[in-house]
Amino acid sequence: MKIIGHRGCFYETENTIKSFLKAFELGADGIEIDIQSTLDKFLVVSHDSNLKRLTGIDFDINKKNYSELFKMRVKKEKIPLLLEVLELAKEKNKSVDIEVKNPNDFYSVCELVSKFNYEETIISSFFHKELYNNKKNFYKIRFAYLYSHEPKNIYDYLNEVDFLKPNINYLTEDYKKFSERVIPWIVNEVKDFKYIKEFNLWGVITDFPEKLKNFLDNKETQENIFINFLMKSIIKEESNINKDFLKLNLRNIFSNIVINEIKINDKMIFLDRNFPIFWNINDKITIKLQKFSLEDKITFNIKDFGIFEIEIKELIKNLS
């Protein structure tokens, strides 16, 4: 089963060469990337057509020439061309799953992939009709339907494309019959790791390649990735504790995340903002807690990644 890093991996800026290399370093067998095209038809790797989410600048890739995009940086990282990523994957002998975000880009993407002629490449999309039509013309390329629903007939899908990419929430027992042609996404939680182990999947898309690899290799550790992330986010000089009061100042140093909830049994937690918390890189949050036990567990509910618990006594160790 191949481990495919989602936009690279969680630890570096998404869809950048740095993120792809980090994913490979962490044990990924391939990467999943997203494609946009510039006004002058350069194919570049970006999930969003507009770069405001990542840069704060209202810059629409589809309405700008590549010469303008070339000057842009996403957290100091260059936005790569599709060709550059294909060359990197081939050099490292890794798979590439290319998600086409705009149906008008299919022909250009297929043409480039066909000319590059690297067999460890898949083209996928939510636009099934357009994907299927292009598959007829580029029969040597492997294609995949991407979706978040239960198909009326899985066999019909399989007759049209090479792979199926269901959201992990729709990976039912029915897929076991042909799981070697299935690539679920995004698989980040241990409960899902356990579930997919029952299948003989071609691949799995995850934000945490090493977390999945360790699980599959039976090397689960007591600390999960989020707990490590949390520990490194604590600003020690701005945090303190005594027998009745705990204050934690945290700075996000890794990646933008959304915190849906933080709770601890029936005890009151005081925060400096309301849920959901959009915790962006370099942002601080403050957590205050009164009248607690060292055995109490703080629970974090993180959008897209799941629910994580840590005992207060473990946090205290990190403050010493």
Side-chain angles (χ1 to χ4, degrees), residues 89-311:
K90 187 174 183 179
E91 175 192 337
K92 301 292 184 180
N93 193 29
K94 302 291 185 177
S95 299
V96 187
D97 177 0
I98 304 166
E99 182 185 342
V100 178
K101 308 297 289 187
N102 187 326
N104 295 327
D105 293 335
F106 267 108
Y107 186 82
S108 298
V109 172
C110 291
E111 188 175 43
L112 176 59
V113 169
S114 181
K115 288 179 180 178
F116 193 79
N117 193 29
Y118 180 48
E119 61 183 12
E120 285 298 317
T121 306
I122 297 170
I123 296 176
S124 60
S125 183
F126 283 101
F127 296 100
H128 295 184
K129 180 180 178 181
E130 290 82 358
L131 184 148
Y132 180 66
N133 288 337
N134 277 274
K135 178 173 174 57
K136 296 175 184 177
N137 297 321
F138 295 93
Y139 57 90
K140 291 184 179 180
I141 298 175
R142 298 183 298 177
F143 290 85
Y145 283 161
L146 179 61
Y147 51 94
S148 290
H149 63 263
E150 274 191 56
K152 290 181 180 179
N153 191 320
I154 296 176
Y155 290 100
D156 288 345
Y157 272 16
L158 285 169
N159 286 332
E160 295 178 357
V161 291
D162 304 283
F163 294 100
L164 303 183
K165 290 177 58 182
N167 180 283
I168 183 62
N169 295 318
Y170 295 92
L171 184 68
T172 62
E173 297 287 326
D174 295 335
Y175 284 93
K176 285 185 176 179
K177 302 171 186 176
F178 29 75
S179 55
E180 291 183 358
R181 294 171 62 186
V182 178
I183 313 169
W185 59 278
I186 303 171
V187 183
N188 290 332
E189 299 183 40
V190 173
K191 67 177 180 63
D192 293 326
F193 294 171
K194 292 177 180 177
Y195 182 58
I196 64 168
K197 222 174 178 182
E198 301 174 9
F199 295 74
N200 183 29
L201 299 165
W202 183 89
V204 177
I205 296 174
T206 179
D207 289 298
F208 305 108
E210 84 294 3
K211 186 178 176 182
L212 177 54
K213 182 175 175 58
N214 286 340
F215 179 86
L216 295 174
D217 292 343
N218 296 314
K219 294 179 181 178
E220 292 182 90
T221 59
Q222 293 181 349
E223 293 184 324
N224 60 49
I225 298 305
F226 178 77
I227 298 304
N228 289 331
F229 161 79
L230 179 68
M231 291 295 200
K232 292 177 182 178
S233 299
I234 297 174
I235 309 171
K236 293 184 180 180
E237 60 272 19
E238 296 180 12
S239 303
N240 57 73
I241 184 171
N242 59 46
K243 63 178 182 178
D244 295 319
F245 180 76
L246 172 66
K247 174 188 173 184
L248 291 175
N249 267 356
L250 310 172
R251 177 185 283 112
N252 187 339
I253 59 174
F254 288 101
S255 181
N256 298 342
I257 63 173
V258 178
I259 304 175
N260 288 328
E261 186 180 41
I262 303 175
K263 63 181 181 180
I264 176 169
N265 301 333
D266 57 349
K267 299 177 177 65
M268 181 69 70
I269 287 182
F270 300 93
L271 294 166
D272 57 347
R273 60 184 79 181
N274 297 322
F275 296 117
I277 297 173
F278 295 88
W279 197 21
N280 298 323
I281 291 178
N282 291 323
D283 280 358
K284 288 184 185 180
I285 60 172
T286 300
I287 300 174
K288 296 179 181 179
L289 177 63
Q290 292 179 326
K291 296 181 179 179
F292 56 86
S293 162
L294 293 179
E295 281 68 41
D296 283 338
K297 294 181 180 180
I298 299 181
T299 302
F300 294 81
N301 185 335
I302 310 299
K303 183 181 179 182
D304 296 329
F305 302 120
I307 296 174
F308 306 90
E309 290 184 335
I310 182 170
E311 290 186 343

